[in-house]
Amino acid sequence: MRRIHELKTAPIYYEAVVLRQKTAEVRLDDRGYQVGDLVELYPWTKALGRIGTNSVVREITFIMTAEEGPWLAEGHVMLCFGDPA
């Protein structure tokens, strides 16, 4: 079953996702991400918390683990995403 993962992201990275300049993200592998799941990213800073009410939804199209990408820290994954199908 497809899940939606709500994720905080720095405003500069959020804008890059909105503009489709950034299509991958390295994250702690703590949510059981699966190809086909959705990520809902929203701008957030430690000082202000969530900024506004905007968010962007993308579909996870590929996941690379630390075993597959030795440059990834143990316990992290790289999520690749595109427009939801």
Side-chain angles (χ1 to χ4, degrees):
M1 176 184 242
R2 178 185 260 192
R3 294 179 54 198
I4 300 174
H5 304 277
E6 291 184 25
L7 303 174
K8 305 171 194 171
T9 193
I12 189 168
Y13 302 132
Y14 173 79
E15 289 301 320
V17 172
V18 169
L19 296 172
R20 292 177 176 77
Q21 297 168 331
K22 184 174 187 294
T23 59
E25 180 122 352
V26 174
R27 289 282 176 159
L28 189 61
D29 188 14
D30 62 348
R31 296 176 181 241
Y33 298 109
Q34 298 291 318
V35 170
D37 284 356
L38 301 175
V39 292
E40 180 178 6
L41 297 159
Y42 60 89
W44 185 90
T45 67
K46 193 171 188 175
L48 300 173
R50 186 170 182 161
I51 301 170
T53 59
N54 292 341
S55 66
V56 62
V57 176
R58 297 288 186 255
E59 181 176 350
I60 298 173
T61 58
F62 182 83
I63 300 172
M64 180 181 287
T65 66
E67 296 161 353
E68 299 164 327
W71 47 268
L72 283 171
E74 188 66 35
H76 288 75
V77 292
M78 181 178 71
L79 305 174
C80 299
F81 41 81
D83 292 328

